[in-house]
């Protein structure tokens, strides 16, 4: 249930402030011009007024003061910033780090497992199927992935993005880490990974189908260190326990490793057995999370502003209609009741009015949260124009006195300020409507959402990128810039695409900057399967990753574009509206000029390489508000119109000055 509260309740102490304006500020006097007639004494006697010198101090009736006071209450209430406290939002944060170590040695290609469809598959395929289902149930845990064979390496650092972990596990191939089994080294690497973990519960699930043949660290020694550090290791053996040689299972070692760290040992020789083992592990290592909650607040300062606008416009409209009706009943030529400009008569409450409304600022980059309220400018402008016509001094005598004589019959001086009460009312309405419409130019995300658009980083990895004209080299400088950019963007989603003669999606969009940074540092021309330039294909892959992430922009890092790519790039540009920014790791010169000209095919915006981080700061700022076609529902626009309410309060105080009001009497005499 929503609750209403005031963010700045102390502002209510300002309610008596108009009394000081009434007592301390001198009255507003408005000299008026009058019509010179030779029979003024006789005219004064007829209308019952005694002409006198001096300006008038217009007085207001009860209804006028009630309207002004109501508007003041509304403005002060808006200034106190009423907010709706919405139902609580919750987020679960992980309290356990779970690390998977998967054996990719040559024996994992042995086809002796049966999948759920009854087909015989190799061991690694069976492991992938079971682990994929296991990972799908681990939402809330941070999961990492170590692959090992003759050597061990971290494929995925700890991340909550389990989709990335599952995808990279699916891409793993037998022997990609070598044909042998370095089980002890995998345990040692896992310990190093856990050393960077800040959570208390740390669990390793190690899967292997062979005995340790090449580790520098004995598995028993690594297990003892893990036990001292509070790491629990579960071991899963797959394959034939009767096998001999390098394919033999060392069940004794696997059991000791598990028991010494408080884990369990399991063996599976079929897909069903492997599935049951992971079901058992899922029950033992139940999902653990810590729940944090937040109750978002929604500004509704504009509610009292709407009441203020409605009250002021209704009162002015009613006063104008009443004045016009009285004018129709008593035409000017029969009504000698208009007095000299120096008369001290006080208009009735029906012929005077004061109205106020909030003020606004028009930022350079913004939109309106409630643009439909801008339509209120039309009736406000019409009403102001009618009021202006009604209060025009000479209008009452037009059609009665010949125009060529009228200008010569006016006496006295019109000292009315160019910015009087009526103009004050018009400005107030303008600002009030802008404030109600809700100007905004930035997001205010909840603590559980990110207001930053996704970014696809496209990097060319070719021998030319190893040129050292930019120190330490073009490739290394590009990697440094990626690192700095990811650090600034925090948990904003990013993907990584590398290309040369072929284009590859190295990492889909993920909120884990550490993974992107790790893979970016590993990019070298030697790992690319083919030399060349597949820039258009790389941009297509970038578009695909951004589509999955809900939209964003592309950062393109390259030192050249092949001429034959021009047509393909033009075709991509016609089919895609994604914004592209080009960061060439080049020094000023012909090479940079040529690249810039070629990049015009995709309307790329050039960001020049700098020695400091100003280029990265510009990229981070520009990419943050890229077009987002999807995203979190937790993100909302900041209500910047609230900051107009202090201006409105100051404007409204003017109407508590005696004589500062709009008189709808035609100021003629």
């Amino acid at each position: 249930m929503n609750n209403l509260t005031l963010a700045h309740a102390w502002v209510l102490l300002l309610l008596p402030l108009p009394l000081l304006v009434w007592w301390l500020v001198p009255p507003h006097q408005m000299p008026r011009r009058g019509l010179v007639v030779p029979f003024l004494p006789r005219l004064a006697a007829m209308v019952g007024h005694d002409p006198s010198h001096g300006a008038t101090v217009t007085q207001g009736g009860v209804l006028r003061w009630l309207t002004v006071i109501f508007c003041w209450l509304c403005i002060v209430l808006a200034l106190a910033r009423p907010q709706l406290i919405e139902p609580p939002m919750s987020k679960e944060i992980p309290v356990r780090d779970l690390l998977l170590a998967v054996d990719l040695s040559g024996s994992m290609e042995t086809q002796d497992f049966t999948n759920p469809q009854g087909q015989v598959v190799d061991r690694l395929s069976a492991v992938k199927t079971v682990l994929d289902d296991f990972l799908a149930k681990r939402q809330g845990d941070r999961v990492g992935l170590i692959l090992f064979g003759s050597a061990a390496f971290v494929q995925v650092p700890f991340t909550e993005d389990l989709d990335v972990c599952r995808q990279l596990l699916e891409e793993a191939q037998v022997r990609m880490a070598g044909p042998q089994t370095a089980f002890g080294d995998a345990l040692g690497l896992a310990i190093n990974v856990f050393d960077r973990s800040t959570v208390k519960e740390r669990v390793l699930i190690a899967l292997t189908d062979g005995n340790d043949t090449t580790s520098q660290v004995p598995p028993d020694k690594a297990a003892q260190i893990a036990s001292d550090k509070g790491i629990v290791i579960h071991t899963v053996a797959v394959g034939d326990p009767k096998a001999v040689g390098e394919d033999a299972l060392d069940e004794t070692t696997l059991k000791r490793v598990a028991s010494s760290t408080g884990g369990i040992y399991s063996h599976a020789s079929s897909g069903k057995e492997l599935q049951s083992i992971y079901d058992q592990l899922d029950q033992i290592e139940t999902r653990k999370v810590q729940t944090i909650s937040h109750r978002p607040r929604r500004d509704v300062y504009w509610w009292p502003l709407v009441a203020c606008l409605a009250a002021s416009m209704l009162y002015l409209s009613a006063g104008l209609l009443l004045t016009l009706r009285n004018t129709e009943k008593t035409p000017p030529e029969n009504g000698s009741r208009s007095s000299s400009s120096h008369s001290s008569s006080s208009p009735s409450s029906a012929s005077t009015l004061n109205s106020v409304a909030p003020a606004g600022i028009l930022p350079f980059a913004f939109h309106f949260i409630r643009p439909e309220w801008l339509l209120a400018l039309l009736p406000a402008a019409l009403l102001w124009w009618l009021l202006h016509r009604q209060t025009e001094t000479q209008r009452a005598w037009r059609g009665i006195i010949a125009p060529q004589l009228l200008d010569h019959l006016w006496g006295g001086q019109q000292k009315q300020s160019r910015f009087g009460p009526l103009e004050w009312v018009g400005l107030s309405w303008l600002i009030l409507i802008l404030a109600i419409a809700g100007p905004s130019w930035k997001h205010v995300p909840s603590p559980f959402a990110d207001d930053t658009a996704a970014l696809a980083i496209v990097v060319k990895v070719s021998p030319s990128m190893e040129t050292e004209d930019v120190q330490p080299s073009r490739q290394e400088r590009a990697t440094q810039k990626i690192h700095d950019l990811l650090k600034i963007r925090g948990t904003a989603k990013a993907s990584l695409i590398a290309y040369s003669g072929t284009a590859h999606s190295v990492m889909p969009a993920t909120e884990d900057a550490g993974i992107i940074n790790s893979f970016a540092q590993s990019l070298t021309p030697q790992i690319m399967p083919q030399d060349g330039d597949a820039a258009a294909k790389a941009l297509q892959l970038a578009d695909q990753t951004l589509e999955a992430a809900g939209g964003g922009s592309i950062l393109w890092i390259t030192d050249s574009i092949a001429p034959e790519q021009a047509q393909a790039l033009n075709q991509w540009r016609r089919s895609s509206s994604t914004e592209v920014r080009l960061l060439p790791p080049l020094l000023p010169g012909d090479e940079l000029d040529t690249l810039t000209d070629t990049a015009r095919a995709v309307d790329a915006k050039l960001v020049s390489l700098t020695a400091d981080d100003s280029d990265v700061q510009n990229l981070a700022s520009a990419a943050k508000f890229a077009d987002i076609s999807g995203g979190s529902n937790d993100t909302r626009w900041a209500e910047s119109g609230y900051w107009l309410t202090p201006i409105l309060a100051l404007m409204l105080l003017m109407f508590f000055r005696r004589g500062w009001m709009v008189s709808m009497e035609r100021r003629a005499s």
Side-chain angles (χ1 to χ4, degrees), residues 302-557:
W302 58 278
W303 289 1
L305 296 187
V306 170
C308 176
L309 177 66
S312 61
M313 292 186 65
L314 286 174
Y315 182 60
L316 276 171
S317 300
L320 179 62
L321 290 174
L322 183 59
T323 301
L324 292 175
R325 188 163 58 178
N326 290 338
T327 301
E328 291 174 357
K329 292 179 179 179
T330 310
E333 57 269 26
N334 297 328
S336 307
R337 309 195 60 161
S338 56
S339 65
S340 166
S341 64
H342 306 300
S343 172
S344 58
S345 63
S346 300
S348 67
S349 62
S351 62
T352 61
L353 178 70
N354 167 42
S355 168
V356 79
I361 304 170
L362 211 57
F364 59 87
F366 75 103
H367 76 292
F368 288 101
I369 300 175
R370 295 171 291 276
E372 63 275 6
W373 277 99
L374 294 177
L375 296 175
L377 289 171
L378 298 177
L382 176 61
L383 179 56
W384 187 89
W385 178 72
L386 293 173
L387 290 170
H388 184 269
R389 291 181 74 243
Q390 177 65 22
T391 57
E392 186 178 357
T393 303
Q394 298 184 19
R395 181 174 176 78
W397 299 102
R398 291 175 183 171
I400 300 175
I401 300 176
Q404 63 271 23
L405 298 178
L406 185 59
D407 290 337
H408 301 285
L409 294 179
W410 287 110
Q413 295 182 352
Q414 183 75 6
K415 297 182 179 179
Q416 182 182 1
S417 170
R418 289 185 178 181
F419 203 78
L422 182 58
E423 290 73 22
W424 204 252
V425 166
L427 179 61
S428 299
W429 278 346
L430 172 63
I431 297 173
L432 176 57
I433 292 171
L434 291 177
I436 293 173
S440 179
W441 56 92
K442 62 180 180 179
H443 281 111
V444 176
S446 80
F448 312 139
D450 191 13
D451 65 345
T452 304
L455 178 67
I457 303 174
V458 178
V459 185
K460 185 176 183 180
V461 186
S462 64
S464 65
M465 288 288 285
E466 294 187 318
T467 306
E468 296 181 355
D469 55 347
V470 175
Q471 293 297 319
S473 72
R474 297 177 182 179
Q475 187 73 52
E476 290 186 48
R477 179 64 71 88
T479 302
Q480 293 170 0
K481 293 298 183 181
I482 292 174
H483 169 80
D484 294 341
L485 178 60
L486 292 173
K487 184 176 180 181
I488 294 174
R489 285 173 55 82
T491 59
K493 285 188 176 182
S495 61
L496 181 63
I497 290 86
Y499 76 97
S500 186
T502 54
H504 306 272
S505 178
V506 180
M507 181 63 57
T510 176
E511 296 178 351
D512 196 323
I515 298 178
I516 301 290
N517 188 48
S518 175
F519 278 94
Q521 292 178 0
S522 303
L523 294 178
T524 63
Q526 290 72 33
I527 68 173
M528 302 303 293
Q530 182 180 338
D531 192 19
D533 193 337
K537 179 61 177 177
L539 295 179
Q540 291 174 9
L541 289 177
D543 251 351
Q544 294 173 11
T545 63
L546 290 176
E547 183 179 357
S553 61
I554 295 174
L555 170 60
W556 187 8
I557 302 178

Side-chain angles (χ1 to χ4, degrees), residues 67-88:
T67 303
V68 174
I69 292 172
F70 176 77
C71 288
W72 174 250
L73 292 175
C74 291
I75 295 298
V76 172
L77 182 59
L79 193 59
R81 199 164 193 171
Q83 295 177 329
L84 281 178
I85 302 179
E86 299 182 337

Side-chain angles (χ1 to χ4, degrees), residues 572-583:
W572 175 82
R573 180 74 287 174
R574 287 194 295 269
S575 63
S576 173
S577 60
T578 306
E579 195 171 12
V580 180
R581 290 176 182 84
L582 178 66
L583 178 64

Side-chain angles (χ1 to χ4, degrees), residues 122-134:
D122 61 78
R123 297 173 181 176
L124 182 58
S125 297
V127 168
K128 287 180 179 180
T129 301
V130 175
L131 279 182
D132 185 75
D133 183 62
F134 179 75

Side-chain angles (χ1 to χ4, degrees), residues 90-96 139-142 160 199 287-292 448:
S90 299
K91 181 182 180 181
E92 297 176 335
I93 58 176
V95 295
R96 173 194 289 124
Q139 294 293 336
D141 284 341
R142 289 204 318 163
E160 294 179 62
V199 301
R287 177 173 171 266
K288 289 187 178 181
V289 294
Q290 176 183 348
T291 302
I292 57 176
F448 312 139

